[in-house]
Amino acid sequence: MSSVQVAVVTGSNKGIGLAIVRALCKQFPGDVYLTSRDPGRGQAAVAQLQQEGLRPLFHQLDIDDLQSIRALRDFLKEKYGGLNVLVNNAGIAFKVHDTTPFAVQAEVTLKTNFFGTRNVCTELLPLMKPYGRVVNVYSMVSSSALRGCSQELQQKFHSDTITEDELVQLMAKFVEDTKRNVHDKEGWPNTAYGVSKIGVTVLSRIQARLLNEQRKGDHILLNACCPGWVRTDMAGPKATKSPDEGAETPVYLALLPSSADAPHGQFVSDKTVKPW
């Protein structure tokens, strides 16, 4: 088993994920794994970074597939005895003018962005070594989506005592409400992407709380962050930041020094803690 430190970035064959891998290859003192659902695209991205003189490693990971997540978990456990840095970046968004029915968009978007990310955390958080760093990439869309929720839903999402099971039930309810076309009436906003990112944001708060309760002495820091409006396939060419600029805050959180005890369980944008 290797004593080398190891970092994993999900959904990192392009866009912000690729930029995070690039920066970690330059700054993280250990092995950095670029992961993607499609091995061909992943290997092509690795080759691109090798051309730049960097040395990322590759492992297949489809966060929609529990077997794929568990294969990565077993690999990390066997080769490294755990994990030092986890950046949950994988996510999808339908384009604004996509004609796919909203109920389908809701189900597909939440499957990956919320339930897939949650499965990664369920399998990989127990592997985090002392002084580990976990970064959940979310989006400022979650703040505006939250404001679009009913007062009752906002109170639930803002609760300091909400459990993971309660959150999972709420996310599942959103999908069901869209299928029955009652999501407006039930107090949900008209954005599946926004609701999925509310889910990730609240999940981050719950996970940070559990780390405090169960592993206080291990000094693991877990935060959610917004990379900003970045020129990617998802955001389009008009966005104001390059992917490398978008990677700055996630990388800053991934590389918080071992002496740091904050931020933890926070929402960070432009390296600054923001209210949620």
Side-chain angles (χ1 to χ4, degrees):
M1 193 186 292
S2 170
S3 60
V4 172
Q5 290 196 49
V6 60
V8 168
V9 185
T10 74
S12 50
N13 60 293
K14 62 179 183 177
I16 296 166
L18 181 62
I20 293 169
V21 170
R22 177 184 287 116
L24 288 177
C25 282
K26 294 173 182 174
Q27 299 173 59
F28 177 73
D31 289 348
V32 181
Y33 280 84
L34 182 154
T35 69
S36 70
R37 188 167 39 189
D38 179 305
R41 287 181 188 164
Q43 299 286 9
V46 164
Q48 181 188 334
L49 292 180
Q50 284 172 339
Q51 294 274 303
E52 297 173 22
L54 304 173
R55 296 174 63 182
L57 296 159
F58 176 73
H59 201 286
Q60 193 273 344
L61 175 66
D62 177 0
I63 73 167
D64 286 346
D65 177 358
L66 199 50
Q67 292 316 110
S68 172
I69 297 170
R70 287 178 173 162
L72 176 62
R73 174 200 68 189
D74 294 347
F75 168 80
L76 291 168
K77 209 186 264 182
E78 195 177 330
K79 183 163 167 104
Y80 299 94
L83 180 59
N84 302 95
V85 170
L86 171 63
V87 181
N88 283 306
N89 171 74
I92 60 161
F94 285 85
K95 298 285 184 239
V96 176
H97 301 297
D98 196 302
T99 54
T100 306
F102 188 64
V104 177
Q105 292 195 25
E107 185 160 28
V108 170
T109 304
L110 267 80
K111 182 184 179 196
T112 296
N113 293 4
F114 177 73
F115 291 102
T117 300
R118 174 180 176 248
N119 285 340
V120 171
C121 291
T122 301
E123 299 297 334
L124 297 189
L125 285 188
L127 265 62
M128 295 307 298
K129 292 185 177 182
Y131 301 98
R133 304 290 182 250
V134 183
V135 185
N136 293 333
V137 178
Y138 83 117
S139 130
M140 289 317 279
V141 173
S142 73
S143 305
S144 56
L146 186 66
R147 290 193 295 275
C149 290
S150 66
Q151 285 303 119
E152 184 190 356
L153 281 172
Q154 288 191 41
Q155 274 174 337
K156 286 178 179 172
F157 289 132
H158 270 131
S159 161
D160 289 330
T161 54
I162 186 173
T163 65
E164 192 169 326
D165 285 343
E166 288 167 342
L167 176 61
V168 164
Q169 285 169 1
L170 282 167
M171 293 290 115
K173 182 180 186 300
F174 170 67
V175 174
E176 287 309 310
D177 287 347
T178 62
K179 286 180 181 170
R180 300 193 350 256
N181 206 19
V182 295
H183 58 280
D184 284 343
K185 188 159 80 45
E186 292 293 317
W188 295 103
N190 233 356
T191 160
Y193 182 77
V195 171
S196 75
K197 292 299 185 178
I198 291 173
V200 172
T201 306
V202 178
L203 185 65
S204 300
R205 295 183 62 199
I206 294 168
Q207 290 166 342
R209 201 171 72 216
L210 290 175
L211 284 170
N212 284 348
E213 290 166 10
Q214 296 163 4
R215 298 186 63 181
K216 188 71 178 159
D218 283 346
H219 306 283
I220 296 166
L221 299 180
L222 182 152
N223 292 285
C225 74
C226 174
W229 195 28
V230 179
R231 291 188 292 279
T232 60
D233 288 353
M234 196 183 275
K238 292 197 183 76
T240 46
K241 285 186 176 181
S242 70
D244 288 327
E245 289 167 335
E248 281 176 14
T249 294
V251 169
Y252 155 73
L253 292 171
L255 298 176
L256 287 168
S258 56
S259 56
D261 56 8
H264 178 58
Q266 301 292 341
F267 307 95
V268 183
S269 180
D270 291 326
K271 300 185 188 174
T272 313
V273 171
K274 304 282 191 212
W276 152 246

